Amino acid sequence: MRLALYLLTVLSAAVAIQSTDKQHSYRNFKLIRINPENDATLAYLKSLYEEESPYTLDFWQPPSHVGGVVDMTVAPSDASSLIRDLSARGIHYIVAIHDLQKAIESERSLASWAHPPKGFGYERYNSLDEIYNELKRLKRERPSLITLIDIGQTHENRTMLVVKIGGGQSLDEDAPSIWLDAGIHAREWIAPATAMFILRELVEGYETDPKLQAMLDHVPFYILPVMNPDGYEHSRTMDRMWRKNRRPAECHNKEWHTVCCRGVDLNRNFDWYWAASGSSSDSCHDTYHGPAAFSEPESAAVRDFLEAYPPKAFISLHSYSQMWLIPFGHRRRSYPNDYSSALRPLAIKATKALEAVHGTKYQVGTGADLMYEASGGSHDWAKGALKVPFSYLIELRPRNTLFGNGFLLPEREIVPVGNETWAAIRVVADEVFSQFAQPFLRGKADKKPEPISLSKMGLRGTSTEQTTATSRSEPTVVETEASKTTVTTTQTETTTKAISTTTEEITVAPSTLATVTCEDYGSYCRLWKVFNLCDRRAVQKLCTLTCNPQCRV
Ligand code: 0X9
Ligand code: ZN
């Protein structure tokens, strides 16, 4: 009996669950910055990163190549032995931050510590609630410009909210659009703040800038300001340096004991060479790729939405290092066919516009060439699998040079970062408009198709799901496959089976139903799109060709 009790005690002690139920203090943690000068230094740093390390380290910038800056934090208990080790190996380093907790405290402006502000502020780092309330406020103020779309729920049941700006209130799978997400990595706070800043630029610019208005009318933006809401809140309340989502703990054996850790790196969870490079199968690692591609509700929700409404440009905001990254990042010297002809020239044009605002310099290239190889990234998947013409990952300020606090960018930089990033994204938006919307608009002006009425063709109301829709003339409620919940543009409406419809006559070119080739079949299905059905499983049987992205015209 005694032996049994003893064994039980030993066994329970051997299960180490990464404790996250109390606030993590970074008092006296150091940020060590190293510029690896030779292969031996690089190999040593890689061994610390990839293999079992005797120190408690968190790599903010992992080692990749000689000359590529490495940032890592070290716990106070390990700092002196690590520094001794570095010195013994002749490795030059600087202590960029002496007390990480102090740096965390000075990230927010002095004013916000003295008088904690109430409500949302565009020059502040806001909570998820504050961000969502601001989205709802904007929607209330401009109901015809803004649509809120609930694309899914997280592990901790938070809503993933996409805001659509422009393009009318119904979702159109064929209209050219621009996708912008931020906050896939929880601790990169400047990213959601920048997404919100850009949202405001779009909303206010719509009223004051006729060119922007024309663009948004035909090329809406879909913005997901916080792609990892659980992680974001965790980084605000419990652990400022949290990166992953909050997938419940998974346990595995490690030597003589069991360890259990939470979270998946969402930017390793997309189905693009998933688990092939720069990611870990260890659930305790910061780059854990998860048990399968798209195993996470957050990445699956984004996939479902983007597959239903594929954009012409995909932009994902991260921090830090001031890099404009182009696919592909899973392997060095691996590029899409239009890398040199389209993706890179536009990236260079965009970063020039960015630099013109405050003189901030960005590097342009693939993540694998400029940083490190890493597969399963969202921008690689968007280009490689979804075939989005322009796909980018932007690593915002600061640059990882001698100075700078990495993820802890002071609040006073939010507005300048917002202004310069908006200038760059505007370049991408202008390009999408001139390539994908203007020719179509010109064509429309030249040739007016003879109107055909859907009701005359017997297509209206042929779906049982369609008949459950609300019968308002302007669609405002949309259900997505991913969430099975409601997207409301006003807070009062709810329906679980609603599909937006319009009672207006639909105009289509008469030729669209003539022959059933791949494209024409697509056109047939696009008739259904006006009921927002084409992406729905029920209709996929009819529309298999259209729902296959290869068949889109
Ligand atoms: O590691 C990432 O997911 C991104 N960096 S971050 O510091 N924001 O976490 C960069 C991904 C870009 N792709 C490659 N480096 N391959
Ligand atoms: Zn990131």
Side-chain angles (χ1 to χ4, degrees):
M1 181 66 183
R2 267 205 182 158
L3 183 69
L5 260 177
Y6 171 76
L7 279 175
L8 202 70
T9 321
V10 169
L11 279 176
S12 57
V15 179
I17 299 183
Q18 207 182 40
S19 170
T20 47
D21 54 359
K22 68 177 189 341
Q23 226 177 10
H24 194 305
S25 166
Y26 284 98
R27 185 63 66 208
N28 292 325
F29 277 62
K30 321 254 174 255
L31 175 65
I32 309 284
R33 188 160 284 160
I34 299 170
N35 189 343
E37 289 155 312
N38 52 48
D39 288 337
T41 302
L42 188 65
Y44 171 67
L45 294 172
K46 280 191 172 171
S47 75
L48 290 181
Y49 179 60
E50 285 157 13
E51 292 151 32
E52 202 61 6
S53 147
Y55 313 114
T56 307
L57 301 174
D58 174 10
F59 281 85
W60 288 9
Q61 294 289 342
S64 60
H65 53 274
V66 170
V69 172
V70 174
D71 275 355
M72 59 186 175
T73 67
V74 58
S77 52
D78 291 338
S80 41
S81 27
L82 173 70
I83 282 170
R84 228 178 295 124
D85 199 356
L86 294 174
S87 308
R89 289 166 191 272
I91 299 175
H92 299 124
Y93 65 88
I94 60 161
V95 181
I97 298 178
H98 285 270
D99 180 359
L100 188 51
Q101 189 60 34
K102 216 165 164 188
I104 289 171
E105 283 153 20
S106 51
E107 180 183 33
R108 306 210 197 157
S109 69
L110 276 180
S112 34
W113 285 106
H115 307 284
K118 288 212 166 48
F120 181 89
Y122 281 94
E123 67 303 323
R124 285 202 297 277
Y125 294 127
N126 301 280
S127 71
L128 188 74
D129 272 355
E130 286 163 345
I131 292 173
Y132 282 5
N133 285 337
E134 175 63 6
L135 298 183
K136 288 169 190 162
R137 188 191 69 80
L138 289 171
K139 168 71 202 165
R140 276 195 305 277
E141 270 189 5
R142 295 165 175 89
S144 56
L145 180 63
I146 289 174
T147 310
L148 299 185
I149 310 161
D150 170 351
I151 63 161
Q153 303 294 120
T154 63
H155 283 290
E156 294 176 347
N157 278 328
R158 290 189 176 87
T159 299
M160 295 178 68
L161 215 46
V162 166
V163 51
K164 180 187 183 208
I165 309 107
Q169 285 161 291
S170 62
L171 301 187
D172 182 348
E173 66 169 24
D174 291 319
S177 62
I178 295 168
W179 169 270
L180 178 71
D181 69 68
I184 190 170
H185 289 141
R187 62 192 175 185
E188 298 164 10
W189 287 4
I190 186 62
T194 304
M196 290 302 289
F197 186 94
I198 288 168
L199 166 61
R200 186 179 62 173
E201 291 298 304
L202 290 168
V203 169
E204 289 182 357
Y206 187 85
E207 269 138 43
T208 54
D209 178 346
K211 256 184 84 182
L212 187 62
Q213 185 179 113
M215 191 196 77
L216 283 174
D217 283 342
H218 299 98
V219 184
F221 266 71
Y222 290 100
I223 300 183
L224 174 58
V226 189
M227 180 171 162
N228 175 9
D230 295 347
Y232 184 68
E233 277 307 286
H234 192 73
S235 74
R236 288 183 59 85
T237 54
M238 304 301 277
D239 180 354
R240 175 64 189 89
M241 300 330 301
W242 187 259
R243 166 184 169 96
K244 300 185 282 182
N245 76 349
R246 295 293 294 160
R247 181 187 180 85
E250 272 172 22
C251 302
H252 59 269
N253 293 330
K254 213 173 189 181
E255 290 150 15
W256 57 273
H257 66 303
T258 304
V259 285
C260 306
C261 295
R262 293 189 69 150
V264 165
D265 181 349
L266 294 172
N267 208 35
R268 301 289 183 277
N269 192 240
F270 281 69
D271 198 5
W272 183 255
Y273 291 87
W274 177 79
S277 59
S279 67
S280 174
S281 54
D282 177 351
S283 61
C284 295
H285 203 278
D286 248 355
T287 60
Y288 175 43
H289 48 53
F294 291 122
S295 57
E296 302 310 291
E298 297 88 353
S299 48
V302 168
R303 173 203 57 198
D304 290 348
F305 184 82
L306 291 176
E307 281 181 353
Y309 305 101
K312 297 296 181 205
F314 171 99
I315 301 170
S316 189
L317 298 179
H318 289 246
S319 72
Y320 58 96
S321 60
Q322 290 174 206
M323 287 179 185
W324 190 286
L325 300 181
I326 308 169
F328 295 113
H330 67 282
R331 203 184 314 125
R332 286 192 213 290
R333 287 180 289 282
S334 168
Y335 315 97
N337 288 339
D338 54 353
Y339 180 85
S340 307
S341 59
L343 283 156
R344 193 175 153 82
L346 186 61
I348 288 172
K349 198 172 170 194
T351 49
K352 276 197 179 136
L354 189 153
E355 188 179 345
V357 179
H358 294 298
T360 311
K361 286 193 190 309
Y362 269 62
Q363 285 175 275
V364 174
T366 76
D369 289 351
L370 293 180
M371 307 170 105
Y372 43 84
E373 293 181 340
S375 65
S378 65
H379 79 305
D380 279 357
W381 171 83
K383 180 66 189 174
L386 200 59
K387 310 273 183 260
V388 174
F390 296 106
S391 180
Y392 299 115
L393 182 158
I394 308 177
E395 297 277 9
L396 298 166
R397 291 193 202 179
R399 204 167 188 176
N400 49 355
T401 46
L402 220 51
F403 306 105
N405 282 1
F407 300 114
L408 305 172
L409 193 71
E411 279 183 327
R412 63 175 178 278
E413 293 201 43
I414 293 175
V415 171
V417 169
N419 275 317
E420 66 192 17
T421 312
W422 166 233
I425 288 179
R426 175 94 200 238
V427 170
V428 176
D430 287 345
E431 184 62 27
V432 168
F433 182 59
S434 65
Q435 260 191 47
F436 300 101
Q438 262 173 346
F440 172 75
L441 293 173
R442 260 185 248 124
K444 236 178 151 182
D446 295 347
K447 194 161 67 127
K448 253 203 147 114
E450 187 191 318
I452 287 186
S453 153
L454 277 191
S455 48
K456 275 185 221 151
M457 293 159 76
L459 284 172
R460 191 187 294 287
T462 48
S463 156
T464 46
E465 287 176 293
Q466 189 253 321
T467 54
T468 64
T470 52
S471 58
R472 284 163 295 107
S473 59
E474 283 297 320
T476 51
V477 183
V478 179
E479 184 196 28
T480 67
E481 278 299 326
S483 64
K484 291 274 184 267
T485 49
T486 307
V487 177
T488 52
T489 49
T490 62
Q491 290 307 297
T492 48
E493 292 188 52
T494 51
T495 165
T496 49
K497 269 283 193 191
I499 297 151
S500 304
T501 64
T502 169
T503 53
E504 287 162 3
E505 296 291 284
I506 309 298
T507 301
V508 289
S511 62
T512 52
L513 292 177
T515 50
V516 183
T517 65
C518 183
E519 277 85 2
D520 289 341
Y521 200 27
S523 304
Y524 168 76
C525 290
R526 274 197 298 283
L527 295 177
W528 290 78
K529 170 226 55 196
V530 295
F531 306 124
N532 287 315
L533 286 174
C534 202
D535 61 309
R536 300 180 60 76
R537 294 226 154 90
V539 184
Q540 273 184 4
K541 279 184 228 111
L542 288 172
C543 300
T544 42
L545 287 175
T546 303
C547 295
N548 171 358
Q550 304 292 321
C551 258
R552 286 183 201 286
V553 270

